[in-house]
PDB file of all heavy atoms in Angstrom:
ATOM      1  N   GLU A1391       0.776  -1.205   0.026  1.00  0.00           N
ATOM      2  CA  GLU A1391      -0.102   0.002   0.055  1.00  0.00           C
ATOM      3  C   GLU A1391       0.838   1.343  -0.036  1.00  0.00           C
ATOM      4  O   GLU A1391       0.546   2.237  -0.681  1.00  0.00           O
ATOM      5  CB  GLU A1391      -0.939   0.003   1.223  1.00  0.00           C
ATOM      6  CG  GLU A1391      -2.160  -0.792   0.977  1.00  0.00           C
ATOM      7  CD  GLU A1391      -3.154  -0.561   2.105  1.00  0.00           C
ATOM      8  OE1 GLU A1391      -3.307   0.507   2.721  1.00  0.00           O
ATOM      9  OE2 GLU A1391      -3.787  -1.594   2.491  1.00  0.00           O
ATOM     10  N   GLU A1392       1.877   1.337   0.777  1.00  0.00           N
ATOM     11  CA  GLU A1392       2.647   2.491   0.911  1.00  0.00           C
ATOM     12  C   GLU A1392       3.633   2.788  -0.358  1.00  0.00           C
ATOM     13  O   GLU A1392       4.222   3.842  -0.404  1.00  0.00           O
ATOM     14  CB  GLU A1392       3.431   2.644   2.249  1.00  0.00           C
ATOM     15  CG  GLU A1392       4.446   1.490   2.486  1.00  0.00           C
ATOM     16  CD  GLU A1392       3.751   0.267   3.148  1.00  0.00           C
ATOM     17  OE1 GLU A1392       2.576   0.370   3.546  1.00  0.00           O
ATOM     18  OE2 GLU A1392       4.471  -0.744   3.057  1.00  0.00           O
ATOM     19  N   ASP A1393       3.833   1.625  -1.079  1.00  0.00           N
ATOM     20  CA  ASP A1393       4.759   1.920  -2.127  1.00  0.00           C
ATOM     21  C   ASP A1393       4.103   2.501  -3.435  1.00  0.00           C
ATOM     22  O   ASP A1393       2.863   2.458  -3.554  1.00  0.00           O
ATOM     23  CB  ASP A1393       5.166   0.416  -2.600  1.00  0.00           C
ATOM     24  CG  ASP A1393       6.155  -0.278  -1.754  1.00  0.00           C
ATOM     25  OD1 ASP A1393       6.729   0.468  -0.911  1.00  0.00           O
ATOM     26  OD2 ASP A1393       6.244  -1.507  -1.559  1.00  0.00           O
ATOM     27  N   LEU A1394       4.892   3.248  -4.108  1.00  0.00           N
ATOM     28  CA  LEU A1394       4.464   3.926  -5.353  1.00  0.00           C
ATOM     29  C   LEU A1394       5.197   3.494  -6.536  1.00  0.00           C
ATOM     30  O   LEU A1394       6.364   3.150  -6.389  1.00  0.00           O
ATOM     31  CB  LEU A1394       4.570   5.464  -5.146  1.00  0.00           C
ATOM     32  CG  LEU A1394       3.888   6.164  -3.987  1.00  0.00           C
ATOM     33  CD1 LEU A1394       4.506   7.562  -3.841  1.00  0.00           C
ATOM     34  CD2 LEU A1394       2.397   6.053  -3.983  1.00  0.00           C
ATOM     35  N   LEU A1395       4.493   3.644  -7.661  1.00  0.00           N
ATOM     36  CA  LEU A1395       5.203   3.230  -8.884  1.00  0.00           C
ATOM     37  C   LEU A1395       5.666   4.694  -9.570  1.00  0.00           C
ATOM     38  O   LEU A1395       4.838   5.535  -9.474  1.00  0.00           O
ATOM     39  CB  LEU A1395       4.207   2.441  -9.871  1.00  0.00           C
ATOM     40  CG  LEU A1395       4.853   2.228 -11.270  1.00  0.00           C
ATOM     41  CD1 LEU A1395       4.482   0.790 -11.523  1.00  0.00           C
ATOM     42  CD2 LEU A1395       4.235   3.110 -12.403  1.00  0.00           C
ATOM     43  N   LYS A1396       6.787   4.645 -10.042  1.00  0.00           N
ATOM     44  CA  LYS A1396       7.290   5.746 -10.842  1.00  0.00           C
ATOM     45  C   LYS A1396       7.445   5.427 -12.239  1.00  0.00           C
ATOM     46  O   LYS A1396       8.278   4.528 -12.551  1.00  0.00           O
ATOM     47  CB  LYS A1396       8.554   6.364 -10.196  1.00  0.00           C
ATOM     48  CG  LYS A1396       8.467   7.016  -8.906  1.00  0.00           C
ATOM     49  CD  LYS A1396       9.600   7.584  -8.361  1.00  0.00           C
ATOM     50  CE  LYS A1396       9.449   8.176  -6.961  1.00  0.00           C
ATOM     51  NZ  LYS A1396      10.601   8.697  -6.408  1.00  0.00           N
ATOM     52  N   LEU A1397       6.871   6.268 -13.146  1.00  0.00           N
ATOM     53  CA  LEU A1397       7.043   6.145 -14.525  1.00  0.00           C
ATOM     54  C   LEU A1397       7.987   7.242 -14.930  1.00  0.00           C
ATOM     55  O   LEU A1397       7.742   8.315 -14.654  1.00  0.00           O
ATOM     56  CB  LEU A1397       5.672   6.434 -15.223  1.00  0.00           C
ATOM     57  CG  LEU A1397       5.610   6.300 -16.745  1.00  0.00           C
ATOM     58  CD1 LEU A1397       5.914   4.811 -17.183  1.00  0.00           C
ATOM     59  CD2 LEU A1397       4.379   6.707 -17.356  1.00  0.00           C
ATOM     60  N   THR A1398       9.188   6.724 -15.470  1.00  0.00           N
ATOM     61  CA  THR A1398      10.254   7.686 -15.687  1.00  0.00           C
ATOM     62  C   THR A1398      10.539   7.812 -17.352  1.00  0.00           C
ATOM     63  O   THR A1398      10.711   6.765 -17.951  1.00  0.00           O
ATOM     64  CB  THR A1398      11.503   7.198 -15.059  1.00  0.00           C
ATOM     65  OG1 THR A1398      11.220   6.983 -13.620  1.00  0.00           O
ATOM     66  CG2 THR A1398      12.676   8.272 -15.170  1.00  0.00           C
ATOM     67  N   LEU A1399      10.651   8.973 -17.813  1.00  0.00           N
ATOM     68  CA  LEU A1399      11.112   9.248 -19.099  1.00  0.00           C
ATOM     69  C   LEU A1399      12.636   9.442 -18.982  1.00  0.00           C
ATOM     70  O   LEU A1399      13.063  10.368 -18.277  1.00  0.00           O
ATOM     71  CB  LEU A1399      10.351  10.491 -19.652  1.00  0.00           C
ATOM     72  CG  LEU A1399      10.483  10.852 -21.090  1.00  0.00           C
ATOM     73  CD1 LEU A1399       9.911   9.717 -21.975  1.00  0.00           C
ATOM     74  CD2 LEU A1399       9.819  12.163 -21.448  1.00  0.00           C
ATOM     75  N   TRP A1400      13.352   8.642 -19.656  1.00  0.00           N
ATOM     76  CA  TRP A1400      14.685   8.525 -19.479  1.00  0.00           C
ATOM     77  C   TRP A1400      15.492   9.043 -20.786  1.00  0.00           C
ATOM     78  O   TRP A1400      15.114   8.627 -21.878  1.00  0.00           O
ATOM     79  CB  TRP A1400      15.213   7.079 -19.223  1.00  0.00           C
ATOM     80  CG  TRP A1400      16.480   6.818 -18.531  1.00  0.00           C
ATOM     81  CD1 TRP A1400      17.625   6.534 -19.174  1.00  0.00           C
ATOM     82  CD2 TRP A1400      16.791   7.119 -17.207  1.00  0.00           C
ATOM     83  NE1 TRP A1400      18.748   6.395 -18.306  1.00  0.00           N
ATOM     84  CE2 TRP A1400      18.231   6.824 -17.033  1.00  0.00           C
ATOM     85  CE3 TRP A1400      16.100   7.355 -16.042  1.00  0.00           C
ATOM     86  CZ2 TRP A1400      18.810   6.834 -15.729  1.00  0.00           C
ATOM     87  CZ3 TRP A1400      16.708   7.375 -14.780  1.00  0.00           C
ATOM     88  CH2 TRP A1400      18.121   7.088 -14.711  1.00  0.00           C
ATOM     89  N   LYS A1401      16.563   9.700 -20.612  1.00  0.00           N
ATOM     90  CA  LYS A1401      17.369  10.272 -21.720  1.00  0.00           C
ATOM     91  C   LYS A1401      18.800   9.545 -21.655  1.00  0.00           C
ATOM     92  O   LYS A1401      19.425   9.624 -20.579  1.00  0.00           O
ATOM     93  CB  LYS A1401      17.400  11.635 -21.646  1.00  0.00           C
ATOM     94  CG  LYS A1401      18.481  12.439 -22.611  1.00  0.00           C
ATOM     95  CD  LYS A1401      18.619  13.765 -22.296  1.00  0.00           C
ATOM     96  CE  LYS A1401      19.903  14.314 -22.910  1.00  0.00           C
ATOM     97  NZ  LYS A1401      20.201  15.680 -22.738  1.00  0.00           N
ATOM     98  N   THR A1402      19.262   9.093 -22.877  1.00  0.00           N
ATOM     99  CA  THR A1402      20.511   8.542 -22.989  1.00  0.00           C
ATOM    100  C   THR A1402      21.065   9.158 -24.153  1.00  0.00           C
ATOM    101  O   THR A1402      20.581   9.259 -25.310  1.00  0.00           O
ATOM    102  CB  THR A1402      20.569   7.048 -23.143  1.00  0.00           C
ATOM    103  OG1 THR A1402      19.812   6.475 -22.211  1.00  0.00           O
ATOM    104  CG2 THR A1402      22.028   6.493 -23.161  1.00  0.00           C
ATOM    105  N   ASP A1403      22.443   9.872 -24.055  1.00  0.00           N
ATOM    106  CA  ASP A1403      23.101  10.384 -25.152  1.00  0.00           C
ATOM    107  C   ASP A1403      24.436   9.597 -25.104  1.00  0.00           C
ATOM    108  O   ASP A1403      24.726   8.542 -24.486  1.00  0.00           O
ATOM    109  CB  ASP A1403      23.183  11.909 -25.051  1.00  0.00           C
ATOM    110  CG  ASP A1403      23.958  12.417 -23.836  1.00  0.00           C
ATOM    111  OD1 ASP A1403      24.729  11.533 -23.302  1.00  0.00           O
ATOM    112  OD2 ASP A1403      23.682  13.514 -23.432  1.00  0.00           O
ATOM    113  N   LYS A1404      25.367  10.163 -25.843  1.00  0.00           N
ATOM    114  CA  LYS A1404      26.767   9.445 -26.100  1.00  0.00           C
ATOM    115  C   LYS A1404      27.511   9.327 -24.782  1.00  0.00           C
ATOM    116  O   LYS A1404      28.245   8.432 -24.534  1.00  0.00           O
ATOM    117  CB  LYS A1404      27.499  10.275 -27.168  1.00  0.00           C
ATOM    118  CG  LYS A1404      27.061  10.000 -28.526  1.00  0.00           C
ATOM    119  CD  LYS A1404      27.843  10.850 -29.526  1.00  0.00           C
ATOM    120  CE  LYS A1404      27.277  10.659 -30.907  1.00  0.00           C
ATOM    121  NZ  LYS A1404      28.054  11.399 -31.905  1.00  0.00           N
ATOM    122  N   MET A1405      27.374  10.343 -23.908  1.00  0.00           N
ATOM    123  CA  MET A1405      28.084  10.422 -22.731  1.00  0.00           C
ATOM    124  C   MET A1405      27.399  10.114 -21.430  1.00  0.00           C
ATOM    125  O   MET A1405      27.966   9.504 -20.447  1.00  0.00           O
ATOM    126  CB  MET A1405      28.736  11.831 -22.510  1.00  0.00           C
ATOM    127  CG  MET A1405      29.457  12.320 -23.780  1.00  0.00           C
ATOM    128  SD  MET A1405      31.059  11.463 -23.964  1.00  0.00           S
ATOM    129  CE  MET A1405      32.002  12.256 -22.815  1.00  0.00           C
ATOM    130  N   THR A1406      26.123  10.429 -21.231  1.00  0.00           N
ATOM    131  CA  THR A1406      25.423  10.375 -19.988  1.00  0.00           C
ATOM    132  C   THR A1406      23.973   9.652 -20.145  1.00  0.00           C
ATOM    133  O   THR A1406      23.624   9.464 -21.270  1.00  0.00           O
ATOM    134  CB  THR A1406      25.168  11.645 -19.337  1.00  0.00           C
ATOM    135  OG1 THR A1406      24.397  12.486 -20.297  1.00  0.00           O
ATOM    136  CG2 THR A1406      26.520  12.435 -19.109  1.00  0.00           C
ATOM    137  N   SER A1407      23.504   9.334 -19.119  1.00  0.00           N
ATOM    138  CA  SER A1407      22.141   8.691 -19.018  1.00  0.00           C
ATOM    139  C   SER A1407      21.461   9.304 -17.793  1.00  0.00           C
ATOM    140  O   SER A1407      21.975   9.316 -16.715  1.00  0.00           O
ATOM    141  CB  SER A1407      22.107   7.288 -18.938  1.00  0.00           C
ATOM    142  OG  SER A1407      20.964   6.684 -18.961  1.00  0.00           O
ATOM    143  N   ARG A1408      20.236   9.901 -17.907  1.00  0.00           N
ATOM    144  CA  ARG A1408      19.566  10.480 -16.853  1.00  0.00           C
ATOM    145  C   ARG A1408      18.107  10.631 -17.041  1.00  0.00           C
ATOM    146  O   ARG A1408      17.646  10.510 -18.133  1.00  0.00           O
ATOM    147  CB  ARG A1408      20.108  11.878 -16.495  1.00  0.00           C
ATOM    148  CG  ARG A1408      19.878  12.947 -17.646  1.00  0.00           C
ATOM    149  CD  ARG A1408      20.384  14.275 -17.258  1.00  0.00           C
ATOM    150  NE  ARG A1408      20.265  15.227 -18.286  1.00  0.00           N
ATOM    151  CZ  ARG A1408      19.210  16.096 -18.354  1.00  0.00           C
ATOM    152  NH1 ARG A1408      18.142  15.976 -17.492  1.00  0.00           N
ATOM    153  NH2 ARG A1408      18.967  16.866 -19.392  1.00  0.00           N
ATOM    154  N   ALA A1409      17.362  10.783 -15.966  1.00  0.00           N
ATOM    155  CA  ALA A1409      15.946  10.950 -15.891  1.00  0.00           C
ATOM    156  C   ALA A1409      15.595  12.344 -16.381  1.00  0.00           C
ATOM    157  O   ALA A1409      16.095  13.283 -15.857  1.00  0.00           O
ATOM    158  CB  ALA A1409      15.372  10.698 -14.601  1.00  0.00           C
ATOM    159  N   LEU A1410      14.614  12.451 -17.310  1.00  0.00           N
ATOM    160  CA  LEU A1410      14.155  13.702 -17.729  1.00  0.00           C
ATOM    161  C   LEU A1410      12.942  14.165 -16.867  1.00  0.00           C
ATOM    162  O   LEU A1410      12.919  15.345 -16.471  1.00  0.00           O
ATOM    163  CB  LEU A1410      13.701  13.743 -19.232  1.00  0.00           C
ATOM    164  CG  LEU A1410      14.693  13.533 -20.195  1.00  0.00           C
ATOM    165  CD1 LEU A1410      14.195  13.350 -21.618  1.00  0.00           C
ATOM    166  CD2 LEU A1410      15.600  14.842 -20.198  1.00  0.00           C
ATOM    167  N   CYS A1411      12.018  13.242 -16.676  1.00  0.00           N
ATOM    168  CA  CYS A1411      10.872  13.611 -15.733  1.00  0.00           C
ATOM    169  C   CYS A1411      10.314  12.329 -15.347  1.00  0.00           C
ATOM    170  O   CYS A1411      10.449  11.182 -15.834  1.00  0.00           O
ATOM    171  CB  CYS A1411       9.886  14.428 -16.338  1.00  0.00           C
ATOM    172  SG  CYS A1411       9.179  13.661 -17.903  1.00  0.00           S
ATOM    173  N   GLU A1412       9.589  12.497 -14.200  1.00  0.00           N
ATOM    174  CA  GLU A1412       8.901  11.257 -13.509  1.00  0.00           C
ATOM    175  C   GLU A1412       7.505  11.592 -13.223  1.00  0.00           C
ATOM    176  O   GLU A1412       7.137  12.750 -12.855  1.00  0.00           O
ATOM    177  CB  GLU A1412       9.633  10.808 -12.203  1.00  0.00           C
ATOM    178  CG  GLU A1412      10.900  10.159 -12.360  1.00  0.00           C
ATOM    179  CD  GLU A1412      11.653   9.810 -11.028  1.00  0.00           C
ATOM    180  OE1 GLU A1412      11.258  10.259  -9.930  1.00  0.00           O
ATOM    181  OE2 GLU A1412      12.506   8.921 -11.102  1.00  0.00           O
ATOM    182  N   GLN A1413       6.687  10.512 -13.238  1.00  0.00           N
ATOM    183  CA  GLN A1413       5.268  10.646 -12.829  1.00  0.00           C
ATOM    184  C   GLN A1413       5.081   9.586 -11.804  1.00  0.00           C
ATOM    185  O   GLN A1413       5.280   8.377 -12.019  1.00  0.00           O
ATOM    186  CB  GLN A1413       4.360  10.409 -14.079  1.00  0.00           C
ATOM    187  CG  GLN A1413       2.901  10.330 -13.854  1.00  0.00           C
ATOM    188  CD  GLN A1413       2.370  11.770 -13.534  1.00  0.00           C
ATOM    189  OE1 GLN A1413       2.562  12.777 -14.202  1.00  0.00           O
ATOM    190  NE2 GLN A1413       1.528  11.903 -12.537  1.00  0.00           N
ATOM    191  N   THR A1414       4.530   9.927 -10.649  1.00  0.00           N
ATOM    192  CA  THR A1414       4.240   8.952  -9.593  1.00  0.00           C
ATOM    193  C   THR A1414       2.802   8.479  -9.810  1.00  0.00           C
ATOM    194  O   THR A1414       1.885   9.302 -10.052  1.00  0.00           O
ATOM    195  CB  THR A1414       4.395   9.672  -8.234  1.00  0.00           C
ATOM    196  OG1 THR A1414       5.697  10.151  -8.005  1.00  0.00           O
ATOM    197  CG2 THR A1414       4.143   8.761  -7.139  1.00  0.00           C
ATOM    198  N   VAL A1415       2.636   7.144  -9.746  1.00  0.00           N
ATOM    199  CA  VAL A1415       1.413   6.595  -9.938  1.00  0.00           C
ATOM    200  C   VAL A1415       1.016   5.762  -8.613  1.00  0.00           C
ATOM    201  O   VAL A1415       1.715   4.988  -8.073  1.00  0.00           O
ATOM    202  CB  VAL A1415       1.528   5.520 -11.183  1.00  0.00           C
ATOM    203  CG1 VAL A1415       0.133   4.966 -11.419  1.00  0.00           C
ATOM    204  CG2 VAL A1415       2.042   6.219 -12.397  1.00  0.00           C
ATOM    205  N   GLN A1416      -0.189   6.029  -8.176  1.00  0.00           N
ATOM    206  CA  GLN A1416      -0.703   5.414  -6.959  1.00  0.00           C
ATOM    207  C   GLN A1416      -1.881   4.523  -7.253  1.00  0.00           C
ATOM    208  O   GLN A1416      -2.735   4.807  -8.015  1.00  0.00           O
ATOM    209  CB  GLN A1416      -1.150   6.513  -5.957  1.00  0.00           C
ATOM    210  CG  GLN A1416      -0.109   7.443  -5.570  1.00  0.00           C
ATOM    211  CD  GLN A1416      -0.554   8.483  -4.588  1.00  0.00           C
ATOM    212  OE1 GLN A1416      -1.738   8.757  -4.444  1.00  0.00           O
ATOM    213  NE2 GLN A1416       0.364   9.151  -3.808  1.00  0.00           N
ATOM    214  N   ASP A1417      -1.930   3.374  -6.573  1.00  0.00           N
ATOM    215  CA  ASP A1417      -2.992   2.470  -6.515  1.00  0.00           C
ATOM    216  C   ASP A1417      -3.631   2.180  -8.045  1.00  0.00           C
ATOM    217  O   ASP A1417      -4.716   2.471  -8.353  1.00  0.00           O
ATOM    218  CB  ASP A1417      -4.189   2.987  -5.677  1.00  0.00           C
ATOM    219  CG  ASP A1417      -3.749   3.209  -4.227  1.00  0.00           C
ATOM    220  OD1 ASP A1417      -2.891   2.308  -3.832  1.00  0.00           O
ATOM    221  OD2 ASP A1417      -4.204   4.218  -3.601  1.00  0.00           O
ATOM    222  N   SER A1418      -2.732   1.724  -8.947  1.00  0.00           N
ATOM    223  CA  SER A1418      -3.228   1.442 -10.347  1.00  0.00           C
ATOM    224  C   SER A1418      -3.917   2.584 -10.877  1.00  0.00           C
ATOM    225  O   SER A1418      -5.098   2.493 -11.340  1.00  0.00           O
ATOM    226  CB  SER A1418      -3.922   0.120 -10.389  1.00  0.00           C
ATOM    227  OG  SER A1418      -3.263  -1.006  -9.962  1.00  0.00           O
ATOM    228  N   ASP A1419      -3.282   3.665 -10.888  1.00  0.00           N
ATOM    229  CA  ASP A1419      -3.867   4.932 -11.239  1.00  0.00           C
ATOM    230  C   ASP A1419      -3.590   5.341 -12.770  1.00  0.00           C
ATOM    231  O   ASP A1419      -2.859   4.662 -13.366  1.00  0.00           O
ATOM    232  CB  ASP A1419      -3.394   6.030 -10.419  1.00  0.00           C
ATOM    233  CG  ASP A1419      -4.418   7.311 -10.265  1.00  0.00           C
ATOM    234  OD1 ASP A1419      -5.420   7.209 -10.795  1.00  0.00           O
ATOM    235  OD2 ASP A1419      -3.972   8.263  -9.680  1.00  0.00           O
ATOM    236  N   LYS A1420      -4.383   6.219 -13.197  1.00  0.00           N
ATOM    237  CA  LYS A1420      -4.195   6.701 -14.530  1.00  0.00           C
ATOM    238  C   LYS A1420      -2.860   7.629 -14.476  1.00  0.00           C
ATOM    239  O   LYS A1420      -2.705   8.364 -13.662  1.00  0.00           O
ATOM    240  CB  LYS A1420      -5.374   7.624 -14.944  1.00  0.00           C
ATOM    241  CG  LYS A1420      -6.611   6.808 -15.190  1.00  0.00           C
ATOM    242  CD  LYS A1420      -7.695   7.645 -15.726  1.00  0.00           C
ATOM    243  CE  LYS A1420      -9.012   6.750 -15.982  1.00  0.00           C
ATOM    244  NZ  LYS A1420     -10.001   7.555 -16.460  1.00  0.00           N
ATOM    245  N   VAL A1421      -2.365   7.593 -15.685  1.00  0.00           N
ATOM    246  CA  VAL A1421      -1.168   8.424 -15.868  1.00  0.00           C
ATOM    247  C   VAL A1421      -1.516   9.547 -16.800  1.00  0.00           C
ATOM    248  O   VAL A1421      -2.181   9.258 -17.860  1.00  0.00           O
ATOM    249  CB  VAL A1421       0.053   7.596 -16.460  1.00  0.00           C
ATOM    250  CG1 VAL A1421       1.200   8.576 -16.894  1.00  0.00           C
ATOM    251  CG2 VAL A1421       0.424   6.433 -15.641  1.00  0.00           C
ATOM    252  N   ASP A1422      -1.154  10.679 -16.512  1.00  0.00           N
ATOM    253  CA  ASP A1422      -1.485  11.869 -17.351  1.00  0.00           C
ATOM    254  C   ASP A1422      -0.459  12.891 -17.180  1.00  0.00           C
ATOM    255  O   ASP A1422      -0.314  13.615 -16.264  1.00  0.00           O
ATOM    256  CB  ASP A1422      -2.820  12.495 -16.988  1.00  0.00           C
ATOM    257  CG  ASP A1422      -3.352  13.575 -17.897  1.00  0.00           C
ATOM    258  OD1 ASP A1422      -2.526  13.837 -18.943  1.00  0.00           O
ATOM    259  OD2 ASP A1422      -4.363  14.023 -17.721  1.00  0.00           O
ATOM    260  N   LEU A1423       0.637  12.905 -18.070  1.00  0.00           N
ATOM    261  CA  LEU A1423       1.801  13.711 -18.073  1.00  0.00           C
ATOM    262  C   LEU A1423       1.968  14.523 -19.291  1.00  0.00           C
ATOM    263  O   LEU A1423       1.983  13.894 -20.391  1.00  0.00           O
ATOM    264  CB  LEU A1423       3.027  12.937 -17.765  1.00  0.00           C
ATOM    265  CG  LEU A1423       4.401  13.554 -17.805  1.00  0.00           C
ATOM    266  CD1 LEU A1423       4.561  14.544 -16.689  1.00  0.00           C
ATOM    267  CD2 LEU A1423       5.512  12.576 -17.861  1.00  0.00           C
ATOM    268  N   THR A1424       1.922  15.824 -19.243  1.00  0.00           N
ATOM    269  CA  THR A1424       2.252  16.674 -20.368  1.00  0.00           C
ATOM    270  C   THR A1424       3.315  17.783 -19.924  1.00  0.00           C
ATOM    271  O   THR A1424       3.050  18.411 -18.959  1.00  0.00           O
ATOM    272  CB  THR A1424       0.939  17.440 -20.701  1.00  0.00           C
ATOM    273  OG1 THR A1424      -0.086  16.479 -21.025  1.00  0.00           O
ATOM    274  CG2 THR A1424       1.195  18.325 -22.064  1.00  0.00           C
ATOM    275  N   THR A1425       4.288  17.758 -20.664  1.00  0.00           N
ATOM    276  CA  THR A1425       5.402  18.711 -20.407  1.00  0.00           C
ATOM    277  C   THR A1425       6.126  19.155 -21.698  1.00  0.00           C
ATOM    278  O   THR A1425       5.925  18.470 -22.764  1.00  0.00           O
ATOM    279  CB  THR A1425       6.339  18.012 -19.301  1.00  0.00           C
ATOM    280  OG1 THR A1425       7.291  19.015 -18.986  1.00  0.00           O
ATOM    281  CG2 THR A1425       7.134  16.875 -20.009  1.00  0.00           C
ATOM    282  N   VAL A1426       7.026  20.031 -21.483  1.00  0.00           N
ATOM    283  CA  VAL A1426       7.871  20.572 -22.617  1.00  0.00           C
ATOM    284  C   VAL A1426       9.304  20.338 -22.179  1.00  0.00           C
ATOM    285  O   VAL A1426       9.641  20.753 -21.127  1.00  0.00           O
ATOM    286  CB  VAL A1426       7.580  21.971 -22.975  1.00  0.00           C
ATOM    287  CG1 VAL A1426       8.536  22.517 -24.084  1.00  0.00           C
ATOM    288  CG2 VAL A1426       6.154  22.133 -23.445  1.00  0.00           C
ATOM    289  N   LEU A1427      10.062  19.683 -23.083  1.00  0.00           N
ATOM    290  CA  LEU A1427      11.470  19.453 -22.769  1.00  0.00           C
ATOM    291  C   LEU A1427      12.337  19.855 -23.799  1.00  0.00           C
ATOM    292  O   LEU A1427      11.979  19.761 -25.064  1.00  0.00           O
ATOM    293  CB  LEU A1427      11.715  17.916 -22.564  1.00  0.00           C
ATOM    294  CG  LEU A1427      10.834  17.191 -21.515  1.00  0.00           C
ATOM    295  CD1 LEU A1427      11.031  15.670 -21.629  1.00  0.00           C
ATOM    296  CD2 LEU A1427      11.369  17.615 -20.118  1.00  0.00           C
ATOM    297  N   TYR A1428      13.524  20.306 -23.567  1.00  0.00           N
ATOM    298  CA  TYR A1428      14.538  20.643 -24.493  1.00  0.00           C
ATOM    299  C   TYR A1428      15.427  19.470 -24.828  1.00  0.00           C
ATOM    300  O   TYR A1428      16.133  18.885 -23.911  1.00  0.00           O
ATOM    301  CB  TYR A1428      15.437  21.831 -24.103  1.00  0.00           C
ATOM    302  CG  TYR A1428      16.219  22.442 -25.343  1.00  0.00           C
ATOM    303  CD1 TYR A1428      15.703  23.343 -25.982  1.00  0.00           C
ATOM    304  CD2 TYR A1428      17.462  21.817 -25.722  1.00  0.00           C
ATOM    305  CE1 TYR A1428      16.365  23.848 -27.268  1.00  0.00           C
ATOM    306  CE2 TYR A1428      18.168  22.279 -26.773  1.00  0.00           C
ATOM    307  CZ  TYR A1428      17.591  23.293 -27.561  1.00  0.00           C
ATOM    308  OH  TYR A1428      18.351  23.714 -28.637  1.00  0.00           O
ATOM    309  N   LEU A1429      15.329  18.840 -25.977  1.00  0.00           N
ATOM    310  CA  LEU A1429      16.147  17.633 -26.280  1.00  0.00           C
ATOM    311  C   LEU A1429      17.134  17.902 -27.365  1.00  0.00           C
ATOM    312  O   LEU A1429      17.038  18.923 -28.065  1.00  0.00           O
ATOM    313  CB  LEU A1429      15.175  16.593 -26.757  1.00  0.00           C
ATOM    314  CG  LEU A1429      14.000  16.120 -25.868  1.00  0.00           C
ATOM    315  CD1 LEU A1429      13.169  15.122 -26.433  1.00  0.00           C
ATOM    316  CD2 LEU A1429      14.668  15.518 -24.583  1.00  0.00           C
ATOM    317  N   PHE A1430      18.240  17.151 -27.262  1.00  0.00           N
ATOM    318  CA  PHE A1430      19.333  17.398 -28.298  1.00  0.00           C
ATOM    319  C   PHE A1430      19.274  16.297 -29.313  1.00  0.00           C
ATOM    320  O   PHE A1430      18.821  15.178 -29.048  1.00  0.00           O
ATOM    321  CB  PHE A1430      20.594  17.470 -27.679  1.00  0.00           C
ATOM    322  CG  PHE A1430      20.782  18.635 -26.684  1.00  0.00           C
ATOM    323  CD1 PHE A1430      20.417  18.384 -25.300  1.00  0.00           C
ATOM    324  CD2 PHE A1430      21.164  19.891 -27.114  1.00  0.00           C
ATOM    325  CE1 PHE A1430      20.469  19.498 -24.405  1.00  0.00           C
ATOM    326  CE2 PHE A1430      21.262  20.902 -26.313  1.00  0.00           C
ATOM    327  CZ  PHE A1430      21.024  20.756 -24.928  1.00  0.00           C
ATOM    328  N   GLY A1431      19.814  16.640 -30.568  1.00  0.00           N
ATOM    329  CA  GLY A1431      20.004  15.515 -31.552  1.00  0.00           C
ATOM    330  C   GLY A1431      20.905  14.414 -30.890  1.00  0.00           C
ATOM    331  O   GLY A1431      21.834  14.819 -30.124  1.00  0.00           O
ATOM    332  N   GLN A1432      20.840  13.304 -31.325  1.00  0.00           N
ATOM    333  CA  GLN A1432      21.532  12.126 -30.780  1.00  0.00           C
ATOM    334  C   GLN A1432      21.127  11.619 -29.420  1.00  0.00           C
ATOM    335  O   GLN A1432      21.605  10.610 -28.868  1.00  0.00           O
ATOM    336  CB  GLN A1432      23.083  12.407 -30.768  1.00  0.00           C
ATOM    337  CG  GLN A1432      23.645  13.047 -32.049  1.00  0.00           C
ATOM    338  CD  GLN A1432      23.455  12.056 -33.170  1.00  0.00           C
ATOM    339  OE1 GLN A1432      23.646  10.885 -33.082  1.00  0.00           O
ATOM    340  NE2 GLN A1432      23.071  12.560 -34.397  1.00  0.00           N
TER     341      GLN A1432
END
C-alpha cells in the first residue's frame, strides 16, 4: 500500500544517461503527464 510506482522518461546520449521527468502513480492509477522538454540531436 505505501509503495508507489514511478513512470520515468529516460534520456541517454553518447556520454550520459539521466531521468528527464517522473510521474508518480498510486493504486493502479491513470497516468496523465504533459510537459515541454529541450532535447538534443543524438
Side-chain angles (χ1 to χ4, degrees):
E1391 279 187 35
E1392 59 275 348
D1393 289 338
L1394 302 173
L1395 178 134
K1396 289 185 181 176
L1397 181 67
T1398 306
L1399 192 60
W1400 200 263
K1401 169 189 159 177
T1402 306
D1403 59 25
K1404 291 179 181 179
M1405 305 291 279
T1406 61
S1407 184
R1408 67 179 177 92
L1410 288 173
C1411 61
E1412 287 185 338
Q1413 174 77 40
T1414 302
V1415 182
Q1416 296 177 342
D1417 301 326
S1418 298
D1419 203 3
K1420 290 183 179 181
V1421 175
D1422 189 359
L1423 171 69
T1424 303
T1425 188
V1426 175
L1427 299 170
Y1428 193 91
L1429 301 174
F1430 296 94
Q1432 309 302 318

